[in-house]
Amino acid sequence: MDPSLFRRLRLIAALLGAAVAGPCLTALTAERALAAPDSLAVSITPRDIWPPAPVTDLVGLPGAEGQLLLQWTAPDSNSNALGVPSPAAGYAIRIATFSVDDVGGSTTAWWGGAMDVRSLPAPSVSAVPPAPGSPGAQDFLLLTRLEPGATVYALITSTDSAGLISDADVKAVTPGGQAFALIYDAVPPAPSGLAAVQTGASTFTVTWSSGTAYDLDYYRISLDSTVPRDFADAWSSTASASATSALIGGLPYGTYALRIGAVDKGAPSGPGLPLESPPSASVTADIIPRLAQTPYGIDISSSAGSVTIRWLPVVRYDDLTGFVDPSAPSIGELTSYRVYRASTIVLGTWAEVASLSTGTASWTGPAVATAPYYTVRSESTGSDLSLSGRSLIRSAATLEGFVVAPDDQSYFRIPAAEIAPFVGSAGDSASAYAIIVSSRPQDLGGRVYKSLDFKAYRGGLIHDPNFRLDGMGTVRMHYEISGSSLSPSFTGAAAGPQNASVYWWNGARWLQLYGKVDTLSQNVFLETKYFGQYQLRSVERVAGFAFNLAGLSNRFVTPNGDGKNDTAVFTFDNPRDAKVTGRILDLRGRVVVSELAPGPVQNTLEWKPGAALPGGIYIYQLEGEGQSFTGTIVILK
């Protein structure tokens, strides 16, 4: 090649390099055209060596709680003055709670210790980060769920398509000029849904709805038991931020006002101040003595002028919830047993004769002829307020037992011959039946003057609605009178005691069992084997023996031994205690049963057909005081 041609080529390259600012000549190829030796073809491949311009106006603005809004003007990707303006390819943004000045003005050191916004946990960032706008446009990034009360510093760089990174934004390298914002810290909203329920002898369980403040640190529960319960004398307990309930114990008996507040994070464990919400609406709750179960399994014996009472260990509360360790009750569960005696079982004056430890289940003392009745009570917390009800009352003279109702005048009498199921085996709490009696004021009204429920619990725990005595016990239903009428008068019309009648719920319907009225003592007595619900009602009663179809337990008998409708019971009114007989005939008039047996309740007769008797229709006849009542019964097989 002609040397002069090379000289011209070098001159062209030099001129081109001087004319183009930004890109440099990275390859220059000159070829002589084969067809024209003096022609020259030049190919130029530019390479970007200029990073984007740094952001000049980054600013941080606080938003709602936990928010930081970063704003800036989009830089030019071509930072040299001669280039054509174009947007950057991307941004890198980091934040920290310390500034560049805090690390000696070194942006490199600050960058190494700061957090990339893309590593913040969701939903902390709404866009990560935004695509760069055209040079001069406004770009922004909203960060959320940052720590309220913290001062957050920011630094931004941009990248071009060649991967070149700009310098740190201008304000970050200016002493004292780095973009920052104090993150707004809002007072948490007041909690809602506060409720408190006594769940132990001295314990509340407090519940509430979860708070909505994401920087919640804990809840403060305030209690005030001092009248007027205005929280001037309140003390407090705390619960974790994740909790929606708390157990507060060690409380003496009384009425408490409670309210709850939410406290967010702050000094000394975090930035800002620990702000507390307004208090919730207050609620009032009571700590009342939680009673241990009434002792049961009461046995009594006497000899040589002394009397011994024995009972089974109490292992649960009266709501049948078991103690934590039944073999070793704690204070608040059971602290002692107390033994009492009295001269009468109704409206009696009960004198305490012994207070015994929970490890003791018997007492022996001198017999007192004038006070032959004994009962035992359990004590929970060392206060008379925590005494259980009276146990089955036992007579040292007759050995019979009495379950006395809350009115202290009505009762269920259990004869000595029937007492065994209520005694059980020493030390075995599951071996005896407990009878728990309660009044039912919700039943009163209309013709109902008294309503009592005698429930039998096997092992003191499991309700057994089918439990009954083998022999007869006695229910006594006491009534009050005003003038010559039952009091109060629910029906609006005077109802005399002579019309008082006992009803019993058999699990399906109320059965009229009548009973014997004693107007002198104002009681109605009924001999019965049944426990369960009894009511005293005002009804029209005849003066002599009477029977109607309502007194027949069931007309269809299925004697298959399944315990359902195996027998037929005839209940009649017999106020003069006349002799009443009954018999069963077949349709041909032949006698099948010449004399019906006494039934399970006073003034009843019972027929037990037996499995061998053929199915079909049978005739019953009841006779008393010269009257006869006849009807039919069907045996189904």
Side-chain angles (χ1 to χ4, degrees):
M1 179 180 291
D2 185 350
S4 63
L5 179 59
F6 281 107
R7 286 194 295 271
R8 289 195 297 274
L9 185 59
R10 286 195 294 269
L11 178 60
I12 292 171
L15 292 174
L16 286 172
V20 180
C24 64
L25 189 64
T26 59
L28 179 61
T29 304
E31 298 179 354
R32 292 184 64 182
L34 295 178
D38 290 335
S39 64
L40 179 66
V42 179
S43 175
I44 300 174
T45 302
R47 181 166 61 88
D48 188 353
I49 63 170
W50 300 99
V55 171
T56 61
D57 59 351
L58 177 66
V59 64
L61 300 172
E65 185 179 33
Q67 293 185 354
L68 171 61
L69 178 65
L70 297 176
Q71 289 183 333
W72 65 95
T73 301
D76 184 1
S77 177
N78 293 326
S79 60
N80 62 317
L82 299 179
V84 178
S86 62
Y91 293 117
I93 304 172
R94 293 195 177 189
I95 59 174
T97 55
F98 57 93
S99 68
V100 171
D101 293 343
D102 292 334
V103 292
S106 171
T107 57
T108 301
W110 185 93
W111 190 264
M115 176 181 290
D116 192 318
V117 294
R118 285 170 291 195
S119 66
L120 291 172
S124 295
V125 64
S126 58
V128 184
S134 299
Q138 288 293 305
D139 285 340
F140 65 89
L141 175 65
L142 178 65
L143 302 177
T144 64
R145 299 187 69 85
L146 300 178
E147 194 163 19
T151 299
V152 176
Y153 296 85
L155 189 154
I156 186 171
T157 63
S158 54
T159 306
D160 63 16
S161 57
L164 299 177
I165 302 172
S166 74
D167 290 335
D169 69 87
V170 173
K171 295 179 70 174
V173 298
T174 303
Q178 186 175 9
F180 75 95
L182 176 63
I183 306 303
Y184 176 60
D185 190 1
V187 174
S192 61
L194 181 64
V197 177
Q198 182 180 358
T199 51
S202 59
T203 302
F204 277 134
T205 293
V206 184
T207 58
W208 61 90
S209 300
S210 59
T212 57
Y214 72 87
D215 65 330
L216 187 64
D217 193 16
Y218 63 91
Y219 293 99
R220 191 193 314 276
I221 305 166
S222 299
L223 300 90
D224 191 352
S225 61
T226 305
V227 177
R229 301 184 185 89
D230 55 1
F231 296 95
D233 302 301
W235 61 275
S236 65
S237 178
T238 61
S240 69
S242 60
T244 55
S245 66
L247 188 68
I248 302 176
L251 302 173
Y253 303 140
T255 299
Y256 292 81
L258 299 93
R259 66 187 186 188
I260 186 171
V263 183
D264 66 11
K265 297 177 182 177
S269 59
L273 298 174
L275 303 177
E276 184 165 357
S277 73
S280 70
S282 63
V283 298
T284 301
D286 295 317
I287 288 289
I288 59 177
R290 189 177 186 187
L291 304 182
Q293 187 175 29
T294 300
Y296 63 98
I298 309 298
D299 196 10
I300 191 168
S301 60
S302 59
S303 62
S306 67
V307 61
T308 297
I309 307 294
R310 179 181 64 81
W311 56 92
L312 295 176
V314 173
V315 297
R316 59 183 69 92
Y317 291 108
D318 64 352
D319 63 3
L320 306 185
T321 303
F323 296 156
V324 174
D325 182 356
S327 64
S330 64
I331 294 177
E333 292 178 332
L334 182 69
T335 61
S336 70
Y337 297 107
R338 298 191 190 184
V339 180
Y340 298 82
R341 67 181 168 211
S343 59
T344 179
I345 60 171
V346 297
L347 300 176
T349 300
W350 292 92
E352 183 179 332
V353 295
S355 179
L356 306 167
S357 70
T358 59
T360 304
S362 66
W363 171 83
T364 299
V368 179
T370 57
Y373 297 102
Y374 291 83
T375 189
V376 184
R377 303 174 75 176
S378 57
E379 176 200 343
S380 298
T381 61
S383 165
D384 287 344
L385 294 174
S386 66
L387 285 171
S388 73
R390 291 193 295 266
S391 71
L392 178 72
I393 297 170
R394 295 297 304 273
S395 168
T398 65
L399 304 184
E400 59 190 346
F402 297 85
V403 183
V404 179
D407 67 359
D408 209 22
Q409 298 192 74
S410 303
Y411 58 71
F412 195 117
R413 183 188 68 87
I414 303 169
E418 303 294 326
I419 206 70
F422 308 96
V423 174
S425 303
D428 184 1
S429 297
S431 63
Y433 274 85
I435 306 299
I436 299 176
V437 57
S438 61
S439 60
R440 294 176 54 85
Q442 67 271 26
D443 296 341
L444 304 183
R447 293 183 177 271
V448 180
Y449 286 83
K450 185 177 288 291
S451 184
L452 299 174
D453 193 359
F454 297 91
K455 286 184 177 179
Y457 288 83
R458 186 171 64 252
L461 180 63
I462 301 172
H463 179 218
D464 185 353
N466 298 317
F467 177 72
R468 54 184 279 184
L469 299 177
D470 291 332
M472 288 291 192
T474 304
V475 168
R476 163 175 148 157
M477 303 279 283
H478 182 74
Y479 62 83
E480 299 293 338
I481 60 172
S482 176
S484 60
S485 303
L486 294 173
S487 176
S489 179
F490 295 118
T491 60
Q498 68 277 6
N499 290 325
S501 180
V502 178
Y503 281 73
W504 173 71
W505 178 254
N506 73 349
R509 63 190 179 99
W510 287 99
L511 299 179
Q512 185 179 8
L513 302 182
Y514 303 102
K516 184 178 294 185
V517 179
D518 183 342
T519 56
L520 184 62
S521 65
Q522 297 177 200
N523 295 301
V524 180
F525 294 90
L526 175 73
E527 292 184 3
T528 177
K529 298 181 179 182
Y530 297 130
F531 293 93
Q533 293 185 48
Y534 286 88
Q535 290 184 352
L536 189 63
R537 300 183 182 183
S538 174
V539 295
E540 290 296 326
R541 293 185 64 171
V542 297
F545 167 69
F547 174 80
N548 59 48
L549 192 59
L552 179 59
S553 61
N554 49 292
R555 287 194 61 223
F556 299 94
V557 182
T558 57
N560 55 10
D562 65 354
K564 298 178 180 179
N565 299 323
D566 288 335
T567 68
V569 177
F570 304 86
T571 304
F572 46 85
D573 197 0
N574 188 21
R576 289 192 286 259
D577 288 331
K579 179 178 176 59
V580 177
T581 61
R583 62 178 182 167
I584 302 295
L585 310 173
D586 64 16
L587 289 178
R588 294 184 180 183
R590 293 176 297 189
V591 176
V592 176
V593 177
S594 60
E595 187 171 348
L596 292 177
V601 178
Q602 171 188 327
N603 295 339
T604 62
L605 296 174
E606 186 173 24
W607 180 33
K608 300 179 181 179
L613 195 66
I617 300 175
Y618 293 83
I619 300 170
Y620 66 82
Q621 292 180 347
L622 303 182
E623 295 182 355
E625 293 190 321
Q627 298 190 73
S628 178
F629 295 88
T630 302
T632 59
I633 291 180
V634 179
I635 294 181
L636 300 177
K637 289 196 171 182

